Every structure is written in structure tokens, then in C-alpha cells.
Amino acid sequence: MVFSHLAQMSAFQDAATIRGSAPNRQLFGAAGALPDAVDVAVIGGGIIGVSAAYALARAGVRVALFEKGAVACEQSSRNWGWVRTLGRDLPEVPLAQRANVLWGDIQNKIDVGFRRSGMLYLQEDDADASGHHAWMDSARAYGVDARQLSRHEARQMLPQTARAWTGAMYSATDGVAEPQLAAPAIAALARAAGALLFEDCAVRGIERSAGRICAVLTEHGRVATSSVLVAAGAWSRLFCGNLGADFPQLKVRGSVLRTAPIDAGLAAAVNGKDFTCRKRADGGYTVSQFGASMADVVPDSFRLMRHFGRAWLANRNFVRLRFGKRFFEELSIPRHFSTDDVSPFERHRVLDPLPSERGIDQAWRRLTHAFPVFRDARVAQSWAGYIDVTPDAMPVMDAVPDLPGLYLASGFSGHGFGIGPAAGEAMAQLIQGQRPTVDLQPFRFDRYGT
Ligand SMILES: Cc1cc2nc3c(=O)[nH]c(=O)nc-3n(C[C@H](O)[C@H](O)[C@H](O)COP(=O)(O)OP(=O)(O)OC[C@H]3O[C@@H](n4cnc5c(N)ncnc54)[C@H](O)[C@@H]3O)c2cc1C
């Protein structure tokens, strides 16, 4: 097996490199003196939390962000780095378009590795082409930048390929950003704009007075606030559940590898159906495949069967189910806990799963088959991350019903990095009582009827 030596590497070492935790810690330090009060508390230092904190701070709002581990220690540093409009669920298209603009603005201020590299969804038969045509037809009303490339045009754009693609769906303005740079850099912008950031500082719960939120309770103390944004990624269900709000969310494990720098002559990000690759700022490539995803069967799989049953059936070719020790690990995490004791968020500082050797091995073989130039590449690292998914694979971005002052932005279902800056901006607007630039109706909390 190509990756046996990698799979045996310490997952923690992998993750430490992936998330670039050392520079973050120097930037934001340990949780020192907490403020007595802020206007808004943000829970979670992923791309969504830091983007919201940045937008709030720029608007002059007193905001504090609390992260149980390090900024971007979970999904936001482990993803592929795609910033795409192509193939999105239509309600997300305006968010993706707004995000594309915001990524450009951010890149002008600080290096997040954003570039409009172009993106290709390759086709190998008529069925692929008609699927892409249907999406382009329906997305046309939004003015998306997407067009069909003929067989010849695809060949010209990818002269290195050894496979006979029948064409491709192409966007010249979709692109990539660097996950290990982006959230820490946006966090730095937020801090420069006045946001307070606390790492190693889990929020255990909230305090209410007369039915309304009046404080967050962190492991290091209480901070008074009237508004709380839960941007806790894969932990949002647990956090909300402890407050009595049932947010249907499960986790899927995605596995990824990166190569050492190589001159493969491939600048655009490529979705090859059974492999994906994109050029990194360090000269290597990030490689994976949609089918490298695995869902552990956990107690929530049964509790949420009525929500997810149909989604599992529809995605059974992409996501493999696995029953193993994760079931018992999750069984041991209490669903209801007191804020006086060490919480599950402190006991599990960083979700750091091992990559699926089979998933990345397969992606690598398919990539090197399609692009033989990669046979000369050295695989430098592999890693995995838990993706938080909802039943309809779209996020919730809303005020939480019956909990005045509590907001949720979570469940980005494997595509929240690219839209992160726009999602953060929209949540900042919602919390300030403004009309969000992008319509958030499709992302209501109550659409699952829980
Ligand atoms: C392998 C993989 C590939 C992906 N590829 C892409 C891609 O190419 N493009 C794309 O757009 N998206 C992609 N995604 C999805 C994307 O990474 C996520 O949608 C996005 O990063 C979610 O951001 P977030 O801020 O909601 O969550 P996270 O980044 O998971 O951040 C949540 C944070 O909250 C913290 N936290 C949780 N509970 C508490 C608490 N109680 N107190 C304090 N802190 C807490 C956690 O420690 C964590 O750091 C991918 C994901 C993975 C795993």
C-alpha cells in the first residue's frame, strides 16, 4: 500500500502541522483576562466564527471569540481549500458569489492564499454533461460564471491528461484559498479591528435571565453578553442540545493528502469525478476524492434516522458507513452536562481522526492514472477531518427558536470554507438586526421540523 507509512504517523503530529497551531498560539495567546461584558460572544474559531467576529468588529460591535483549541484546529484547516460556485445548491449560490468578492478583499489585506485559479468539473460521458448542463441552466438566473468546455477545449486546458474526457464544466473565477492560512489570518484581521480572541477557552454553556441570554460560561469564567453565535462546527449539535434545541447534525470523516512541490503544469482546481486535486501555494497539490468520505455509525445515527435516512441512500456511493469504536466513544459523551464541571468540549480539545488509507490510496491511484505526471510526485502528508453535515447538506444560519439571543451558523456539510467569509458577514448582519446582504431564508433552523 502506498500510504501505509503515512497512516502510521501520529495523527496528532499530522494535525499540528495541518492547523499551524504554533503561530496561532503566539498570535492569540492563552485565555488571559476575560472581559466582564461584550455585545456578542462567538463560539468557535473556524472560518465561520472568525469571519463573523471580523465583520462584527469592523462594525464597531464589542465581540469576543472563544475557541476550545486553537483557531482553525478542526475542519477549517483540514479542507481541500476550494472556493467554488460550481455545482452548489442554488440557495448557496449568492453566498458563494459574495464570498468570491470578500476573499479578494481579504487577500488584498493579508495573505490567505486566495487566487481565482479556475475550476473544472470533468465529464466522461453524456450523463455527466447533462447533469452539468442542468445545473448551469438553473444557475443562469444568478449570473454565475460557468460554461461548458468541449472535448477539444478540455484537452487544450489539460494537455497532461491521459484520460479521454468528453468535456468539462468550467468556471474561470472560482478558485482556492489556503486553509492553514485563512482562518488564522482573518482572526488576525478581526483582532486588529478590535475583536477579543481566546484560545484554549471552551464555552460550556450560557446563562439566561428572564428567558434571554445574559452571559456565556467559559471554562475560565463568565462573560456577560446578550447575543451568542454558535459557530462550533461538528460540536454545534451537542452545544445546542444541552440547551434544549435539537439541531440535526452528524459527522462524516473526509481524508486528504498533499504532495511535495512538483511542476505538474496544472493550475486550475480539478474535480475528476473519482479524484480531486488543486495546486497549493507551497507548490504541492492537495488530493482527495468525494468517495474518500466515511460515516461512523454512532448513537446519533439512530436518533436522527428519520432526518438522514434518505440522504444516506442518495449518497451511498460517496459515503461509506462504518461501525466501530467511534460508536462507543460518542456513547460516552454525555448529551446533558452541567456548566460547573469540565465539559465535553474541554475533554475533546481537537477532533483529530486518522485518515482512511483506502480512500486516499484510491484517490492517488486515480489521479496518477488520469495525470501520469504525478507519478513523479512525493506524497508528503495525509490527514482527515470530521465534516459536519445536515440532512439536506445545507447549513443552518438563523436565530435559534425559543432561545432569544442565541444564533447558529453550522452544518456547512463539507462546503463551508469557500462561503465562510460571506456566511460570517451575513450572521454579523443578522445579529445586529440588519437585513443580511444574502437571503438567509433557505437556511432557517425550523426547516427540519424538529
Ligand atoms: C476533508 C475536508 C475537505 C473539505 N473541503 C472543502 C472545500 O474544498 N471547500 C469548502 O468550502 N469546504 C470544504 N470543507 C468543509 C469546510 O472545511 C467546513 O465547512 C468549514 O471549515 C466549517 O467551518 P466552521 O467554522 O463551521 O467549523 P470548524 O472549522 O470545525 O470550526 C469550529 C470550531 O469550534 C470550536 N468549538 C466547538 N465547540 C466549542 C466550544 N464549546 N467552545 C469553544 N470552541 C468550540 C472547535 O474547536 C472548532 O475549531 C471540507 C472539510 C473537510 C473536513
Side-chain angles (χ1 to χ4, degrees):
M1 276 293 205
V2 183
F3 299 113
S4 50
H5 63 293
L6 284 169
Q8 282 160 16
M9 278 170 63
S10 151
F12 178 76
Q13 280 172 1
D14 256 359
T17 321
I18 292 299
R19 69 181 190 244
S21 60
N24 296 350
R25 274 160 205 274
Q26 275 166 17
L27 257 181
F28 308 119
L34 294 179
D36 291 335
V38 291
D39 299 322
V40 180
V42 175
I43 303 174
I47 194 76
I48 306 300
V50 298
S51 298
Y54 179 39
L56 286 163
R58 289 212 317 166
V61 175
R62 289 182 311 157
V63 54
L65 180 148
F66 303 97
E67 164 56 53
K68 67 179 167 59
V71 164
C73 63
E74 294 189 346
Q75 296 174 84
S76 292
S77 62
R78 295 162 188 258
N79 62 72
W80 301 348
W82 288 17
V83 176
R84 73 174 162 93
T85 309
L86 283 190
R88 283 211 177 252
D89 281 326
L90 293 184
E92 287 187 1
V93 167
L95 274 173
Q97 291 172 314
R98 175 71 186 146
N100 193 293
V101 174
L102 291 177
W103 278 110
D105 292 348
I106 292 167
Q107 180 64 36
N108 287 337
K109 296 188 173 77
I110 194 166
D111 186 16
V112 287
F114 174 66
R115 55 223 181 261
R116 295 189 178 92
S117 58
M119 187 169 287
L120 291 134
Y121 273 42
L122 298 173
Q123 299 158 356
E124 55 189 23
D125 53 34
D126 290 347
D128 293 342
S130 62
H132 292 162
H133 275 292
W135 184 84
M136 285 188 281
D137 286 347
S138 54
R140 191 156 293 130
Y142 296 90
V144 295
D145 169 28
R147 70 183 177 92
Q148 171 67 33
L149 297 186
S150 66
R151 181 189 294 264
H152 177 66
E153 287 171 316
R155 177 97 222 163
Q156 276 188 322
M157 202 168 279
L158 303 171
Q160 315 86 333
T161 190
R163 266 172 77 175
W165 307 104
T166 58
M169 177 166 71
Y170 174 64
S171 165
T173 48
D174 275 0
V176 297
E178 294 301 330
Q180 286 137 64
L181 293 180
I186 296 170
L189 289 179
R191 197 170 73 154
L196 301 171
L197 303 173
F198 299 96
E199 294 184 303
D200 281 327
C201 189
V203 177
R204 293 176 175 173
I206 58 166
E207 192 178 300
R208 275 180 278 186
S209 169
R212 239 205 107 82
I213 285 182
C214 62
V216 283
L217 303 169
T218 81
E219 64 180 302
H220 297 296
R222 175 184 186 277
V223 178
T225 188
S226 56
S227 300
V228 175
L229 171 61
V230 180
W235 297 92
S236 296
R237 170 169 170 77
L238 184 68
F239 191 91
C240 290
N242 199 36
L243 306 177
D246 190 10
F247 172 43
Q249 179 192 41
L250 288 173
K251 303 181 198 70
V252 169
R253 179 160 54 109
S255 298
V256 193
L257 69 85
R258 73 173 170 89
T259 72
I262 174 179
D263 186 8
L266 200 63
V270 174
N271 173 9
K273 281 191 71 181
D274 53 9
F275 69 86
T276 64
C277 75
R278 66 105 180 155
K279 179 95 175 161
R280 302 164 56 90
D282 63 13
Y285 282 79
T286 295
V287 180
S288 188
Q289 59 160 327
F290 284 105
S293 303
M294 184 176 302
D296 292 299
V297 176
V298 294
D300 270 346
S301 312
F302 297 100
R303 292 184 196 114
L304 296 173
M305 184 67 86
R306 75 190 169 96
H307 292 293
F308 280 91
R310 204 178 294 172
W312 287 136
L313 281 177
N315 289 295
R316 62 186 179 280
N317 293 336
F318 298 114
V319 182
R320 283 182 297 131
L321 291 177
R322 191 183 68 156
F323 185 84
K325 70 177 177 124
R326 189 70 200 156
F327 182 92
F328 301 100
E329 285 168 4
E330 291 224 355
L331 192 62
S332 72
I333 300 177
R335 296 168 72 201
H336 299 287
F337 43 89
S338 146
T339 52
D340 296 330
D341 293 324
V342 173
S343 70
F345 311 112
E346 294 142 83
R347 293 189 198 281
H348 304 269
R349 288 274 169 206
V350 180
L351 270 179
D352 188 18
L354 279 171
S356 151
E357 193 176 332
R358 181 177 139 182
I360 53 177
D361 192 16
Q362 224 174 38
W364 182 247
R365 275 189 281 109
R366 289 166 175 171
L367 172 72
T368 50
H369 172 61
F371 291 94
V373 60
F374 282 103
R375 290 186 188 145
D376 296 331
R378 185 173 67 80
V379 175
Q381 192 178 27
S382 64
W383 66 88
Y386 275 119
I387 297 169
D388 63 321
V389 296
T390 62
D392 56 3
M394 291 205 300
V396 165
M397 298 173 63
D398 197 3
V400 178
D402 305 325
L403 285 164
L406 191 71
Y407 298 82
L408 177 65
S410 199
F412 284 83
S413 303
H415 40 261
F417 178 72
I419 55 176
E425 177 189 70
M427 290 311 295
Q429 291 164 332
L430 186 68
I431 292 168
Q432 290 175 87
Q434 298 165 357
R435 187 191 164 99
T437 313
V438 168
D439 180 18
L440 296 184
Q441 274 302 306
F443 312 115
R444 288 185 327 276
F445 189 103
D446 64 8
R447 69 183 190 270
Y448 304 113
T450 52

